[in-house]
Amino acid sequence: MLNLHRRLVTPERVYLAALGFSGCAALVSVALPPAERGELAACIASATLGAAVGGLSIDTFLLSRPAGWVVSRGARWIPGLLAGCLILSAVAAALLTALAGVGSPLVAVGTACALTIFNAAASLALRLKRFLFVYSMRAASGAVLVGGYALLYAGGRLDGGAWSTVWFGVQAGAATVLGAVVLSWAWRMRPMPAASATRAEYRADMTALGKLHIGVCAQMVTYRIDQILLARFAGSGALGVYALAVAALEFAQAGAVVRSQRILAHRGEDAPPERTATVARAALPIAAAAVAGLAVLGWLRPEYDEAWLLGLCLIPGTLAVATGKTWSALLLKRAGEQATTAVALLTMVVAAVLYAVLIPSAGAYGAALASTGAYLVYAYRTRVGLRRAPDLLANRAV
C-alpha cells in the first residue's frame, strides 16, 4: 500500500496539482472585467519580477551549493544574505509598479518580500530532498487562494485591488509557515558547528552569487517584463487577457521545473542523466489542452475571446522553455554560472529588442510573438552550450 502511494504521489504530480490550483485561481479571476484582472496581473508581475531581480537568485544559489556548504558557513551567513535580498526586492517591486503604472505599490512590495522568503526557505528544504513537502505547500497555498477569490466573487467584490490584497495575504502566509518549518529543522540540529569557512570562501560565495544572479535575473526579466511593458503601452485590459493565456500555458512547464530542481539539488559532481528530449513531448499535450480550455472560456466570457489565439502564439515558446529549463540546469552543473549567464544575457537582449518593437505596435499579440522568439533563442543557445560542456554530458542526457 505504501509503495502504491509513493508511485501515485510523486513530486511531479504534486507540482502539477500546485499548478492546477494556480490555474483554478486564474480561471476564477476571469470573473473580473479584463481591466480589473489586468490590475491583478500587473501586481503579480511586479511582485514576482521584483523578487527575482532583488532576491539575488538566493534560492537557486542555495540549491546549487555543494554538500556541507550550509554547515561550513555558520548560522548567520544565510540570514544576512536574506536580509539584503529583502531590501533589494522591496525596492525593485516598487520601481516595477511605477513602470507598469498599474497596481498597488504596497501590495507589490509586501508580496515580493514574501516570495523572497518563501523561495529561500524552499531551497533549503529542497537541499534536504523535501520535494513533496515544498510542492505540497505550493499546492495548499494555491487552494487557499482559490477559496479567497471565490469568497470575493460571492461577496460581489470585483475589483483588482481587493483580489491583489488577497493574493498578497496568501503568499505572506505560505512564506511564514514554510519559513517557520525550516527554522524548526535548524533548531533541532543544534548545536550547530562553528563556521569553518575562510574569508576567501565568503568572498567566493558573493562572487558566485553575483555571477549566478546575472543569468537568473536576465531569465526572469525575459519571462515577466513583457507584462510590465504591455500594461504601460496597451493598458490593463490587454494585459488581463494576455496574462490569462500566459498562466494557462505555464502548466506545460511543470515537468521541466521539477527535473531542473532535481538536477540542481543533486550533490554529486555529475548531475543525474535526464532524458530531456521527452520534456517537449510531455509538454505539448498539456499546452494544447490549455489552448482548448482558453477557447471554451472565450466562448463563455466574450471579453476573453482572444486568449486562445494568444495561447497559440505562445505554444512554440512554451515548448522551448520546457526543454531549455532542463538543459540550463545541466549546463549550470557542468560548465558553471558563466555559461548559463551568457545564454540568459543574449536572450534578454533579443527579448528587449523584440518587446520594444512589437509591444507598442501590436499590443498583446506583439508580446506573445516577441516572447516566443526570445524563448526559442534561449533553448537553442542553451543546447549549443550543453553540447560544448565538459564531459559531453549532453550526449547522455537526450
Side-chain angles (χ1 to χ4, degrees):
M1 189 67 178
L2 181 59
N3 289 333
L4 177 61
H5 178 267
R6 288 177 177 174
R7 288 197 299 269
L8 293 177
V9 184
T10 63
E12 289 84 356
R13 289 175 178 173
V14 175
Y15 188 86
L16 190 59
L19 279 183
F21 283 118
S22 298
C24 288
L27 182 62
V28 172
S29 68
V30 300
L32 295 170
E36 297 296 333
R37 192 183 186 283
E39 180 180 350
L40 171 63
C43 188
I44 292 174
S46 296
T48 54
L49 187 53
V53 172
L56 299 181
S57 307
I58 189 174
D59 51 343
T60 305
F61 175 73
L62 293 177
L63 196 57
S64 64
R65 293 303 89 192
W69 179 89
V70 174
V71 174
S72 69
R73 282 350 184 233
R76 297 181 180 179
W77 187 230
I78 294 176
L81 289 176
L82 182 58
C85 291
L86 288 173
I87 296 172
L88 294 174
S89 295
V91 173
L95 293 175
L96 287 166
T97 305
L99 175 61
V102 180
S104 167
L106 291 178
V107 171
V109 166
T111 310
C113 292
L115 291 172
T116 300
I117 294 172
F118 184 94
N119 291 338
S123 295
L124 292 172
L126 290 174
R127 284 182 66 91
L128 300 174
K129 304 297 192 298
R130 303 294 182 92
F131 292 95
L132 280 176
F133 173 72
V134 172
Y135 299 152
S136 295
M137 281 293 304
R138 292 186 184 276
S141 62
V144 173
L145 182 61
V146 171
Y149 284 172
L151 288 175
L152 286 176
Y153 177 74
R157 294 291 304 275
L158 300 182
D159 63 278
W163 289 51
S164 298
T165 302
V166 169
W167 182 69
F168 160 62
V170 171
Q171 305 310 318
T176 300
V177 172
L178 184 57
V181 171
V182 172
L183 286 175
S184 71
W185 292 343
W187 182 264
R188 289 198 296 268
M189 293 174 62
R190 293 184 312 139
M192 289 285 291
S196 59
T198 64
R199 290 186 178 180
E201 287 175 322
Y202 286 120
R203 288 195 297 269
D205 284 347
M206 297 306 298
T207 300
L209 179 62
K211 289 180 179 178
L212 177 65
H213 179 59
I214 292 173
V216 175
C217 179
Q219 287 183 17
M220 288 304 299
V221 169
T222 302
Y223 293 155
R224 288 287 180 259
I225 198 65
D226 55 341
Q227 298 190 30
I228 302 294
L229 295 177
L230 187 60
R232 165 61 65 180
F233 289 106
S236 59
L239 175 59
V241 179
Y242 175 74
L244 177 64
V246 172
L249 269 296
E250 285 180 350
F251 279 100
Q253 301 173 26
V257 170
V258 176
R259 283 183 173 87
S260 63
Q261 289 180 341
R262 279 181 163 173
I263 291 170
L264 292 176
H266 186 71
R267 301 268 71 85
E269 293 183 359
D270 290 333
E274 293 282 343
R275 290 190 172 276
T276 52
T278 64
V279 175
R281 290 196 296 268
L284 181 57
I286 300 175
V291 172
L294 290 172
V296 173
L297 183 61
W299 179 68
L300 296 173
R301 293 275 293 175
E303 304 99 312
Y304 294 95
D305 60 356
E306 293 186 351
W308 75 274
L309 293 173
L310 294 170
L312 281 178
C313 296
L314 290 168
I315 282 182
T318 297
L319 299 180
V321 170
T323 54
K325 280 181 180 294
T326 307
W327 290 339
S328 183
L330 288 166
L331 182 61
L332 177 61
K333 295 288 287 189
R334 295 305 305 156
E337 294 89 353
Q338 185 173 351
T340 55
T341 296
V343 173
L345 288 175
L346 173 63
T347 306
M348 186 180 68
V349 171
V350 172
V353 173
L354 292 176
Y355 291 152
V357 172
L358 296 178
I359 290 179
S361 60
Y365 289 101
L369 293 174
S371 63
T372 288
Y375 299 156
L376 289 171
V377 170
Y378 161 70
Y380 172 74
R381 292 303 306 172
T382 302
R383 178 60 177 161
V384 170
L386 189 56
R387 285 189 178 277
R388 297 173 179 173
D391 200 27
L392 294 179
L393 181 64
N395 292 335
R396 306 202 314 265
V398 179

